[in-house]
Amino acid sequence: MQSKAPFAIAEYESRLAKTRTAMAKAGLDAIFVTDPSNQAWLTGYDGWSFYVHQGVIVTAEGPPIWWGRHMDMLGGRRTCWMDHAQIIGYGDHFVQSTEIHPMQHLAERLKEQGLERARIGVEMENYYYSAKAHAVLTTELPNATLVDATALVNWQRLVKSDAEIGFIRKAALISEKVIQTAIERAAPGVRKNDLVADIMHVGITGVDEDWGDYPAILPLTPSGLDATAAHLTWDGAPMKTGEATFFELSGCYRRYHAPLCRTVYLGTPPDDMRRVEEAQMEGIEAGLNAARVGNRTCDIANAFMDVMGKHGIERAGRMGYAIGLSYPPDWGERTASIRSEDQTVLQAGMTFHFMPALWMDTWGLETTETILIREEGAAETLCDIERKLFVKD
Amino acid sequence: MQSKAPFAIAEYESRLAKTRTAMAKAGLDAIFVTDPSNQAWLTGYDGWSFYVHQGVIVTAEGPPIWWGRHMDMLGGRRTCWMDHAQIIGYGDHFVQSTEIHPMQHLAERLKEQGLERARIGVEMENYYYSAKAHAVLTTELPNATLVDATALVNWQRLVKSDAEIGFIRKAALISEKVIQTAIERAAPGVRKNDLVADIMHVGITGVDEDWGDYPAILPLTPSGLDATAAHLTWDGAPMKTGEATFFELSGCYRRYHAPLCRTVYLGTPPDDMRRVEEAQMEGIEAGLNAARVGNRTCDIANAFMDVMGKHGIERAGRMGYAIGLSYPPDWGERTASIRSEDQTVLQAGMTFHFMPALWMDTWGLETTETILIREEGAAETLCDIERKLFVKD
């Protein structure tokens, strides 16, 4: 049976090679990868099963092993590129038991792989590697050394392959449709949930034969005072004249994202919003212009903040992050951030969500771009949606 | 400004009281709660911000404290029932930093609360309490004792209040519409993603004024061989005659769920599927009949398995779990399971997803119910959808 893994085996092998180079540099004999995005990147595994313990074992040689719940081995066989022998599972009696833990099963498998005394990397800072999992694995492998390898694989994902960029471009076309729907349908009296229903419909329909997958973050669409808060989803209240609504959305093509935000004002925006809009647009241009090979991520943030400073607007904190393959609850890759403390040197093929949103006291203005660092020149914005505050009278 | 918290303050106070009784029994001075469902249950907090560290602090007295990222304090003020003074935040420089960790900030706040030498419960087995978070908190509070309090709050949620049952009933009405859409729209040639787009649209539209929220698990809709795997989502392939598709879906009303599964066969189902269908329906009836006050969760599982045994069908493992308030990645409450090892005594007001799916070698049959344990008699099924294999010729 043919695997449904979305990339050629040669691409997975090149990802493994990169990962092994990083492992060798960190002095690791093996890693146990729990981040679902890292699992998918290494093996193709794709299923909504990350709510139970599962992961990928990479050693110095051979194909990786996908390990998970017994009933999800079938999903592994359907979606991973490796032979079925590389897909192993634990019984259902381990699931949410208070007496036994899946990590006991994993420890036995690691011993069988000759890793009883190995240096094994684990992702200490990951949603899907709990404090308990680490405690059990530590107890069960008393002669091994568990080393924090958080983001070791994530960093290998930072520069995208041509095939991955192709996927992100498809996601970007879906993002365009999604944000267009939000802008077109927003009107006084429209219930927010009805608008979100349309947004999700368009996103999952996709563009032509490129079907839409679920985004790793569901629509953030707050209006008015709610829009001063960054992460509210939606409710059933009707949209109102005199309020700004920001739409933080992403199309998704086979787990690859291209996030995009625009803000819609119903009525006549106040002068201060217009002034901030002007500054934000100028700042984004400056940021894009700084987003070029050889510069650093902080240069993008600083270019934006210089413009803000000139306009007398305070803005600190993060204003973007690497994006690509992802699973809930986050579409960021959790590696390089666009912020003044971050010194990551930009290379061609990196993709970021450049996200210099401005949350003010009584409203928020989100205008963002998914950008690709090019061999030459300023960054390319992958979505083609006019960059402005959308006003609907 | 009025809070948007969905329940009356008296209800939150009664939840706090229950939690404190459990804390006292466990000898805890305080708990730090990271499960987003537990946070929402205690405080009303609702936002897609669980991808960064956040949580709720409960001590022996006074309202709880919601602690999170500084930019999410505004979301806390908008959604929690407590005074704004109870909403505290850490700066953005802590987010995904490799040098400082949000738990350092939390440790200082716990010390300010007089908890430097306290026994503090933490949720060791939770998606949102990482191995790293626990390591940092342990280091930063050398004189405190961190105790595993996994599911301490979850267990308090097991018996629902009348108001909560009202929410789950609303979710069930949405679930009915969602599953009806799946059944009606399924047909040869229909792309799975187009069907899922409709499903999501209906679910978020909701029923009349009861707007739909996002479900904690997105649609699981595999067909044919994919349906032997439990947790595949969807792709763009057209549905085919001669295949069964199971739909594992839930409506969601203000984060409360009522999961429901039905299977649709396009064409004429094979005899063995019909035989299994008959056994499954008989087994579900037996399970519902065993789901009554005073019985235990295992009695439901055993009643179902007795019928399977009679029909010569092997089925082990979990066949259901408590449900209610939830956030991704799981709509289960992670407390009582319907399985032979589980001895939870059933009480009126408990709600479960009774989920005796049968995954065979070449197809899967999912027919499930959200059930409410009543004061008297067998369990009530909250959704009113015919219980059978749906066949479309």
Side-chain angles (χ1 to χ4, degrees), chain A residues 4 78 125 130 198 226, chain B residues 4 78 125 130 198 201 226:
Chain A
K4 297 183 163 203
R78 301 291 290 162
E125 185 71 310
S130 67
D198 289 349
D226 281 351
Chain B
K4 297 183 163 204
R78 300 291 291 162
E125 185 71 309
S130 67
D198 288 349
H201 195 274
D226 281 353

Side-chain angles (χ1 to χ4, degrees), chain A residues 48 200 214-215 218, chain B residues 200 214-220 233-234 248 331:
Chain A
W48 192 291
M200 288 298 291
Y214 58 90
L218 290 197
Chain B
M200 289 298 292
Y214 58 90
I217 299 179
L218 289 199
L220 303 176
T233 47
W234 65 85
E248 184 166 342
W331 58 39

Side-chain angles (χ1 to χ4, degrees), chain A residues 1 4 45-53 69 71-72 74-75 78-79 92-97 101-102 123-135 148 191 193-194 196-198 200-202 204-206 208-218 220 225-226 228-237 315-318 328-330 333-335 337 339 341 359-360, chain B residues 1 4 45-53 69 71-72 74-75 78-79 92-97 101-102 123-135 148 191 193-194 196-198 200-202 204-206 208-218 220 225-226 228-237 315-318 321 328-330 333-335 337 339 341 359:
Chain A
M1 188 193 307
K4 297 183 163 203
Y45 184 79
D46 182 30
W48 192 291
S49 54
F50 37 83
Y51 66 91
V52 294
H53 291 288
R69 186 179 180 182
M71 71 159 65
D72 292 318
L74 291 156
R78 301 291 290 162
T79 60
D92 233 38
H93 52 296
F94 283 101
V95 175
Q96 292 172 25
S97 166
H101 195 282
E123 296 170 312
M124 294 288 285
E125 185 71 310
N126 187 269
Y127 312 109
Y128 301 106
Y129 188 68
S130 67
K132 175 84 175 183
H134 184 64
D148 189 2
R191 294 194 312 170
N193 66 305
D194 289 329
V196 172
D198 289 349
M200 288 298 291
H201 195 275
V202 167
I204 296 173
T205 301
D208 302 328
E209 75 274 30
D210 297 331
W211 55 277
D213 212 339
Y214 58 90
I217 299 179
L218 290 197
L220 304 176
L225 277 176
D226 281 351
T228 61
H231 297 113
L232 299 186
T233 48
W234 66 84
D235 61 19
R315 170 63 155 98
R318 216 159 67 121
D330 187 11
E333 289 189 328
R334 294 180 296 287
T335 50
S337 287
R339 57 178 160 191
E341 309 92 298
W359 294 285
M360 314 307 275
Chain B
M1 186 194 308
K4 297 183 163 204
Y45 183 78
D46 182 30
W48 192 291
S49 54
F50 37 83
Y51 67 91
V52 294
H53 291 288
R69 186 178 179 182
M71 70 160 66
D72 293 318
L74 291 157
R78 300 291 291 162
T79 61
D92 234 38
H93 52 297
F94 283 100
V95 175
Q96 293 171 24
S97 166
H101 195 281
E123 295 169 314
M124 293 287 286
E125 185 71 309
N126 188 269
Y127 313 109
Y128 302 106
Y129 188 67
S130 67
K132 176 83 174 184
H134 185 62
D148 188 3
R191 293 195 311 171
N193 66 305
D194 289 328
V196 172
D198 288 349
M200 289 298 292
H201 195 274
V202 166
I204 296 173
T205 300
D208 301 328
E209 75 273 32
D210 297 331
W211 55 276
D213 211 338
Y214 58 90
I217 299 179
L218 289 199
L220 303 176
L225 277 176
D226 281 353
T228 60
H231 297 114
L232 299 187
T233 47
W234 65 85
D235 61 19
R315 169 64 154 96
R318 217 158 65 124
Y321 40 79
D330 188 10
E333 290 189 330
R334 293 180 297 286
T335 51
S337 287
R339 59 177 158 190
E341 308 92 297
W359 295 285

Side-chain angles (χ1 to χ4, degrees), chain A residues 24-259:
Chain A
K25 208 169 154 188
L28 297 175
D29 303 306
I31 49 168
F32 174 64
V33 172
T34 45
D35 183 328
S37 313
N38 291 339
Q39 291 182 53
W41 188 75
L42 288 165
T43 71
Y45 184 79
D46 182 30
W48 192 291
S49 54
F50 37 83
Y51 66 91
V52 294
H53 291 288
Q54 57 183 33
V56 169
I57 304 163
V58 180
T59 55
E61 288 187 341
I65 293 171
W66 185 87
W67 167 88
R69 186 179 180 182
H70 188 273
M71 71 159 65
D72 292 318
M73 288 171 63
L74 291 156
R77 292 177 190 167
R78 301 291 290 162
T79 60
C80 295
W81 62 270
M82 304 89 72
D83 286 341
H84 291 185
Q86 300 302 108
I87 315 283
I88 61 176
Y90 59 85
D92 233 38
H93 52 296
F94 283 101
V95 175
Q96 292 172 25
S97 166
T98 52
E99 299 182 0
I100 53 173
H101 195 282
M103 288 296 144
Q104 295 174 309
H105 183 275
L106 178 71
E108 292 310 308
R109 300 296 85 70
L110 292 172
K111 287 178 195 168
E112 285 168 17
Q113 299 290 315
L115 298 170
E116 187 161 2
R117 294 166 187 282
R119 277 175 63 87
I120 305 171
V122 291
E123 296 170 312
M124 294 288 285
E125 185 71 310
N126 187 269
Y127 312 109
Y128 301 106
Y129 188 68
S130 67
K132 175 84 175 183
H134 184 64
V136 174
L137 200 57
T138 303
T139 302
E140 297 287 325
L141 292 172
N143 301 314
T145 308
L146 299 183
V147 179
D148 189 2
T150 301
L152 180 145
V153 176
N154 305 59
W155 279 104
Q156 311 317 312
R157 293 161 43 196
L158 191 55
V159 176
K160 271 65 185 173
S161 70
D162 289 346
E164 286 181 298
I165 292 168
F167 276 31
I168 297 172
R169 287 189 188 280
K170 286 176 192 275
L173 292 178
I174 302 176
S175 297
E176 288 178 4
K177 286 225 167 182
V178 158
I179 212 94
Q180 276 161 355
T181 301
I183 295 166
E184 281 164 20
R185 286 270 290 127
V190 171
R191 294 194 312 170
K192 189 67 64 62
N193 66 305
D194 289 329
L195 182 49
V196 172
D198 289 349
I199 287 169
M200 288 298 291
H201 195 275
V202 167
I204 296 173
T205 301
V207 175
D208 302 328
E209 75 274 30
D210 297 331
W211 55 277
D213 212 339
Y214 58 90
I217 299 179
L218 290 197
L220 304 176
T221 62
S223 298
L225 277 176
D226 281 351
T228 61
H231 297 113
L232 299 186
T233 48
W234 66 84
D235 61 19
M239 300 184 74
K240 286 192 288 200
T241 299
E243 284 188 348
T245 301
F246 73 72
F247 293 96
E248 184 168 341
L249 306 172
S250 183
C252 182
Y253 180 75
R254 304 200 76 169
R255 310 300 330 128
Y256 282 78
H257 295 76

Side-chain angles (χ1 to χ4, degrees), chain B residues 295-344:
Chain B
N295 277 1
R296 296 157 303 165
T297 39
C298 58
D299 294 321
I300 308 174
N302 293 337
F304 180 82
M305 287 201 292
D306 285 349
V307 175
M308 291 308 102
K310 204 181 75 183
H311 288 268
I313 296 168
E314 270 186 68
R315 169 64 154 96
R318 217 158 65 124
M319 49 198 77
Y321 40 79
I323 54 94
L325 175 63
S326 207
Y327 283 84
D330 188 10
W331 58 39
E333 290 189 330
R334 293 180 297 286
T335 51
S337 287
I338 298 177
R339 59 177 158 190
S340 8
E341 308 92 297
D342 197 297
Q343 304 282 328
T344 309

